[in-house]
Structures are given as C-alpha cells and as structure tokens.
Amino acid sequence: VQRFLQSQISTMLEWLILGLIPIELMIGFTIVGVLLNNAWQPIQKAFTAQPLQEPHYRRNFQSLSFGLINAGFCYHIILDDQHLHLIPVRLLRMIGQKPASIPWSEIQLHTKQPLGRRYNRVVVKKQEIVAPAWCLEMLRMQSGDKTENSSSGS
C-alpha cells in the first residue's frame, strides 16, 4: 500500500510540475510583452512607418533600450537620409507592435553617454533610447559633429 501511495504521489507531482511550467512561461511572456509594448507605444504613436528611400542601410536583430526596458535583438534597424526606421521582430509584431520611422530631426543625442563605443544614448519625444552607435552616425554627420567615428561592427 505504501509503494502504491508513493507512486501515485510521484505521478501527481510530475503532472503538477508539467502543468505549472507552461503557465509560468505564459505569465512571464505576458509580463515581458506588456512592458515592451508600454515602452514602445509612445514611439509607435508619434512616428508612423514611412516608405524607405534609396539608398538605405539595414541591420537585423539589433538591441535597443527604452529607459529601463532592454529589448535585446528585438528590432531591425534601417537608415535612410530622412529617417531612422525601427521594425520590431515578428514576435513583437504578433503582440501588436508596429514599425516606426523617426525623422532625424526628432532625435537628439543625450548629454550623458554610456561607457564604451558600441551604444549611444538619444532622446526622442522626451523618451530616452539607447541604440547601437553605428545607426546614429548619420545623426552625427547631419549635426556637424566631427567626433571620432564610434561605429563598431555588430
């Protein structure tokens, strides 16, 4: 009888664990999705997607930070003469994020820059964004900033 009860309890625990894992994953993905959407909404509402102009330059799966929210490998970044185009990866588009095209005139370099040369901090519509340094070189060129080239391939 004791062996039977132990095997039943063991089986129940296995099923309980197998049932809780998907629930925990769904809760985690929901929380992350809500946080990313809340950080992205001001940009998405202010800057609708615009058509690409030739020539343009694209890098996929780039990392951006919106304030305290880090979106690693979540955006495709495309540069042209008029805009910085940010396109969410497919998973983020599935939860409601839409592409945005930010005019270069709306992007200001932040006075406080992160350590290192791979990322730059900018301000767009009073929201702080940390973006790869390579994509902000056009902003530096348009503003006439002749500082050392901070792009590093990534």
Side-chain angles (χ1 to χ4, degrees):
V1 172
Q2 188 176 4
R3 280 187 187 165
F4 174 74
L5 289 176
Q6 285 177 345
S7 70
Q8 290 299 319
I9 291 172
S10 173
T11 304
M12 287 173 42
L13 285 175
E14 290 172 6
W15 281 105
L16 181 65
I17 290 170
L18 287 175
L20 287 178
I21 290 173
I23 292 170
E24 286 186 35
L25 287 172
M26 284 190 333
I27 291 171
F29 283 129
T30 301
I31 290 171
V32 169
V34 167
L35 290 173
L36 277 173
N37 272 342
N38 285 341
W40 180 248
Q41 287 302 318
I43 299 296
Q44 176 180 309
K45 286 181 180 177
F47 306 105
T48 58
Q50 302 296 317
L52 294 175
Q53 297 181 354
E54 294 294 336
H56 61 267
Y57 181 73
R58 176 183 181 126
R59 284 196 186 174
N60 294 325
F61 302 105
Q62 298 294 297
S63 300
L64 298 173
S65 294
F66 304 96
L68 297 175
I69 307 298
N70 183 20
F73 306 107
C74 289
Y75 292 90
H76 306 306
I77 298 176
I78 304 172
L79 311 177
D80 64 27
D81 288 337
Q82 301 297 316
H83 297 93
L84 170 66
H85 303 273
L86 302 175
I87 302 171
V89 296
R90 185 175 309 205
L91 181 64
L92 295 181
R93 290 194 309 265
M94 288 172 46
I95 62 171
Q97 290 193 9
K98 294 183 174 80
S101 298
I102 306 170
W104 291 110
S105 60
E106 295 288 331
I107 303 172
Q108 290 85 36
L109 285 171
H110 196 286
T111 55
K112 238 176 115 176
Q113 291 299 321
L115 293 175
R117 296 182 178 176
R118 296 186 68 150
Y119 294 94
N120 281 343
R121 186 175 286 137
V122 296
V123 177
V124 177
K125 290 283 185 190
K126 298 182 182 178
Q127 183 172 5
E128 184 178 300
I129 300 173
V130 177
W134 69 265
C135 71
L136 299 171
E137 284 304 309
M138 190 169 292
L139 178 64
R140 289 184 186 278
M141 289 187 291
Q142 286 184 354
S143 68
D145 186 1
K146 302 296 183 200
T147 58
E148 179 183 346
N149 183 352
S150 64
S151 68
S152 61
S154 77

